[in-house]
Amino acid sequence: MSERRAIAVRVRLTVIGAGPAGLTATLAAAARGVRVTLVDAAAEAGGQFYRQPAAGLGARRSRALHHQWRTWERLRDGLAAHVAAGRVTHLTDHHVWCVERASGEFVVHALRGPEQEEPATVRADALLLATGGYEKVLPFPGWTLPGVVTAGGAQAMLKDGLVLPGRTAVVAGTGPLLMPVAVGLAAAGAKVAALVESADPRALARHARVLAAHPDKLAEGARYAAALARHRVGVLVRHTVVAAHGTDRVEAVTVAALDHDGRVRDGSERRIPCDSLAVGHGMLPHTDLAETLGCRLDGVNVAVDDEQRTDVPGVWAAGEITGIGGAALSLAEGRIAGLSVAARFGSRAPEPGSVARAAGVRGGLREFFAAVDSVCAAPARWTERIGDDTVVCRCEEVPASAIREAVGELGAEDVRTVKLLTRAGMGWCQGRICGPAVAGLTGCPPTPSRRPFARPVPLGVLARDPDASPEQPAPPDQHA
C-alpha cells in the first residue's frame, strides 16, 4: 500500500498530508488522470481524525474509536486501488522539512526512516498542502506536570496506542473536541471526573439559524451528551482549570467558575482529584510550509480562493490549514482542490456540478464553525491567572515574569523581540506550543515565522543532499 523510497521522476501533483483533505484531494485528482505522490509523516494514511492502532496491537474493534467509519473505509480502499493501478505513489514516514520552487517545479524535501536522517526528494508541477492543524495550548500553574496532556494528545494515545493517559481524568478547556475526548476516555474504561468547558453553550442560541441548517451536527452533539450522561460524567460550563497540583505527576486540579467578563468568581474554586488532565483550547493551522513558500495568510489561516488555490501559482491548500473546521469540511475542501488540479492537469474533466456541490457543503460548514468558534473562545482574562513563576516556554524554561519584563521594562513591542530577549520560542518546537501564550501575555499579535525549515534537520542531511539548499522565501508580492 505504501512505498518508502524517494521518487526520482517528476509527477504532476504532490500532496503533503494524508488526512481527510489530502486523501480526498488525492482520490479526486487521480481518478481524473493526474499522477499523484502522496507524502505523509505517519506510517498509515488517515491523519489524526482517522488515526488507527498499530497493527501489532491486534485491535479487534478499532472502529469503536471512530465515527464516520464508512467514509474512512471508502478513502482507504480508494487509495489502495489507485496505488495498485500506479496512479498514486504513497510515501509513508516521510517528514517534510522544506518545499521550494526551482526551475518551474516544486521540490519537496523530507526526512524518512525511524531516525529521520535519510533524505528524500520529490519533484512535481503542482503542490497541494493538507498539513492539518495542531492544538492551541495556554499555560496555567502546574501545566508542565506529568499526566497533563492536550485533549488531542489523549485522543491520539487512545486511537494509536490503545492506552489511557490515566485512570481518573479531567477533560478541560473549550471547543467541540472536548466531548468526543471525554466520551472516548470513558468508553475505554477511564473514570472521567469532570468535563470543564469555559464557554457557555447557551450562547449558541444566537446562531439558531445556522445550527438548524446542520441537523446532523446537532444530532452528533446530542449523541455525545447522551454518552456523557450514560457514563455519569459531570459537565461544568463556564468553568476553567485554575491550577494542576502534584509532585511526581498530577494528583488533582482546581477548577473555578467564570463570570461574564472571563474572571474567576471568588469562592467558586473546587478541587478535583485525578491522575490525568486532558486540556485544549481549540486548534491552529499548520502553516509552516505555506509560509516558507510565501503564501498569503488571512489571519492565521492560509488564504485560498473558491478553488482552494493560494496566491502562489501552482499551490493549492485544503483542510485545517485554511481554517479549523473538522473532518467534514476538510473532505469538501480536499475534493474541491483535487477537482481544480484535475481541471488543469487531468486527462478527464471534472463532472458538471461536482465542484458546485462540494462548494455548497464547504460554505455551510464554514458558516457553522464560524458560529461555534465565536462561542468557544479561550476565556478573555486567562492571562490574569498566570503567575510570574509559571513556565510559559517549556523548551527554554522561560517563566511569565521574563516575558512581562521584556515588554514592561525592556520595551519589546512584538513577539520576535520578546523571543530575542527571553529565548521564548527558540527551543525544539520553535514556538509552536508557546507562541499563542507569548502573544497573549504581551498583547502583541502573532506574526508569520517564514522559517526556511519546518522541522529540525541533521547537518549530515544538508551535506549529503545537493538539492537540500532552500533559499529564503521571496516577499509575497513577488509571487503574484
Side-chain angles (χ1 to χ4, degrees):
M1 170 129 182
S2 61
E3 299 183 26
R4 293 178 58 93
R5 58 183 176 82
I7 299 300
V9 298
R10 175 169 166 173
V11 298
R12 280 297 191 184
L13 173 67
T14 293
V15 177
I16 301 178
L23 282 173
T24 307
T26 296
L27 269 57
R32 291 157 182 82
V34 180
R35 185 174 179 182
V36 182
T37 296
L38 176 61
V39 183
D40 193 48
E44 299 288 343
Q48 170 73 357
F49 189 78
Y50 295 119
R51 183 187 290 266
Q52 304 294 310
L57 296 176
R60 291 175 295 179
R61 296 180 62 248
S62 56
R63 69 171 58 199
L65 300 173
H66 299 270
H67 63 294
Q68 299 184 11
W69 182 260
R70 290 184 179 178
T71 300
W72 160 242
E73 288 182 321
R74 176 179 59 80
L75 294 172
R76 178 197 63 195
D77 296 345
L79 177 62
H82 285 302
V83 170
R87 292 183 289 268
V88 173
T89 300
H90 179 201
L91 297 179
T92 61
D93 199 20
H94 277 59
H95 304 259
V96 178
W97 56 270
C98 179
V99 180
E100 59 178 335
R101 294 198 304 171
S103 303
E105 66 180 359
F106 293 95
V107 183
V108 178
H109 301 282
L111 301 172
R112 59 178 179 168
E115 303 300 326
Q116 298 181 32
E117 293 183 350
E118 301 175 45
T121 302
V122 180
R123 299 175 182 273
D125 297 313
L127 181 71
L128 195 154
L129 300 173
T131 48
Y134 62 100
E135 285 190 269
K136 182 178 181 179
V137 179
L138 300 179
F140 52 86
W143 75 292
T144 58
L145 282 170
V148 179
V149 298
T150 64
Q155 189 179 61
M157 292 171 66
L158 185 58
K159 288 183 177 181
D160 190 32
L162 303 180
V163 296
L164 296 169
R167 299 304 304 174
T168 303
V170 170
V171 178
T174 188
L177 180 60
L178 300 187
M179 291 180 72
V181 169
V183 170
L185 293 177
K191 176 186 177 183
V192 180
L195 190 161
V196 184
E197 166 63 69
S198 62
D200 187 351
R202 292 174 297 182
L204 288 169
R206 299 195 303 266
H207 307 279
R209 178 191 60 81
V210 175
L211 300 182
H214 297 275
D216 55 331
K217 290 294 183 183
L218 297 179
E220 181 181 337
R223 288 194 297 271
Y224 281 127
L228 291 173
R230 188 167 61 251
H231 290 290
R232 298 183 179 180
V233 177
V235 179
L236 302 174
V237 299
R238 291 210 59 80
H239 279 67
T240 190
V241 171
V242 175
H245 314 283
T247 51
D248 295 330
R249 66 172 293 123
V250 62
E251 298 170 2
V253 298
T254 295
V255 302
L258 298 171
D259 63 19
H260 291 291
D261 293 325
R263 292 188 174 90
V264 169
R265 293 184 182 275
D266 292 338
S268 67
E269 295 87 352
R270 69 173 78 176
R271 191 179 179 104
I272 302 176
C274 61
D275 61 5
S276 60
L277 169 63
V279 61
H281 293 91
M283 297 184 66
L284 295 168
H286 244 312
T287 59
D288 289 3
L289 297 177
E291 291 176 33
T292 300
L293 286 164
C295 298
R296 182 175 65 87
L297 299 186
D298 182 6
V300 297
N301 306 318
V302 174
V304 292
D305 65 9
D306 289 343
E307 295 184 30
Q308 300 296 138
R309 296 176 300 186
T310 72
D311 63 333
V312 176
V315 180
W316 282 255
E320 309 282 40
I321 187 174
T322 67
I324 305 301
L329 178 56
S330 293
L331 292 169
E333 291 190 353
R335 180 167 177 77
I336 293 169
L339 293 174
S340 177
V341 173
R344 179 175 177 183
F345 297 110
S347 58
R348 183 162 63 90
E351 300 78 2
S354 56
V355 174
R357 287 191 295 271
V361 173
R362 177 184 61 187
L365 287 172
R366 282 181 175 175
E367 188 178 25
F368 176 86
F369 282 101
V372 172
D373 288 345
S374 69
V375 174
C376 296
R381 307 286 182 173
W382 68 268
T383 59
E384 297 176 1
R385 300 190 293 277
I386 308 303
D388 284 344
D389 59 345
T390 300
V391 172
V392 175
C393 174
R394 299 180 67 164
C395 297
E396 296 294 323
E397 299 184 349
V398 180
S401 59
I403 294 170
R404 287 168 172 149
E405 180 184 9
V407 176
E409 299 183 23
L410 302 181
E413 296 181 348
D414 56 68
V415 172
R416 183 177 183 275
T417 303
V418 173
K419 177 179 179 179
L420 294 173
L421 291 172
T422 66
R423 296 192 59 83
M426 288 190 180
W428 183 264
C429 82
Q430 287 292 287
R432 293 173 183 84
I433 301 299
C434 67
V438 172
L441 284 169
T442 60
C444 302
T447 55
S449 58
R450 301 295 293 273
R451 305 181 187 92
F453 298 165
R455 62 187 305 112
V457 184
L459 289 175
V461 169
L462 299 177
R464 292 198 308 269
D465 186 355
D467 292 323
S469 56
E471 299 178 356
Q472 289 290 338
D477 59 352
Q478 294 187 22
H479 293 309

